[in-house]
Amino acid sequence: MTTSTTARRSHLWRWRRSPLRRREDVWEAWILLATWLVTAVVGPVAGVLSARATVDALARQRAERRPATAVLVSEAPRSFVSGEVTVDHVIAAVRWTGEG
């Protein structure tokens, strides 16, 4: 009766002591760990910083807006028919007035 042994692969195999472990394996493990840690830390920080910058930019744009009114320069049609479709949007000449 023979028993077959199967090698169980560990996620930390690069760090365990083995005569077959190469120096490149250790370097690869450390680089991979550092990459995952940087991704896990920098990703959320970048997301929070970009969200704050967006909120600040939108608040600044809202503060800089001023109300304006469009006054018709000449009479515009109420609607027109294009083929079989009635269009409620028309092009008209207007003059913009705002708080001054």
Side-chain angles (χ1 to χ4, degrees), residues 72 74-80 87-94:
L72 283 173
S74 62
E75 206 51 44
R78 292 253 183 234
S79 65
F80 68 94
V87 179
D88 290 330
H89 300 281
V90 295
I91 297 174
V94 296

Side-chain angles (χ1 to χ4, degrees), residues 4-73:
S4 65
T5 58
T6 58
R8 191 177 67 152
R9 185 172 175 124
S10 172
H11 292 291
L12 302 174
W13 67 271
R14 290 178 175 98
W15 278 288
R16 61 175 193 200
R17 299 224 180 260
S18 171
L20 300 176
R21 184 182 68 182
R22 298 173 299 174
R23 187 180 329 171
E24 292 83 12
D25 294 334
V26 175
W27 276 103
E28 179 185 2
W30 282 110
I31 290 170
L32 185 64
L33 178 65
T35 302
W36 278 107
L37 288 176
V38 166
T39 302
V41 172
V42 173
V45 170
V48 168
L49 291 176
S50 64
R52 285 184 182 172
T54 301
V55 167
D56 291 343
L58 292 175
R60 192 171 38 255
Q61 287 177 5
R62 275 192 301 274
E64 292 172 353
R65 288 189 183 142
R66 301 289 181 251
T69 306
V71 179
L72 283 173
V73 174

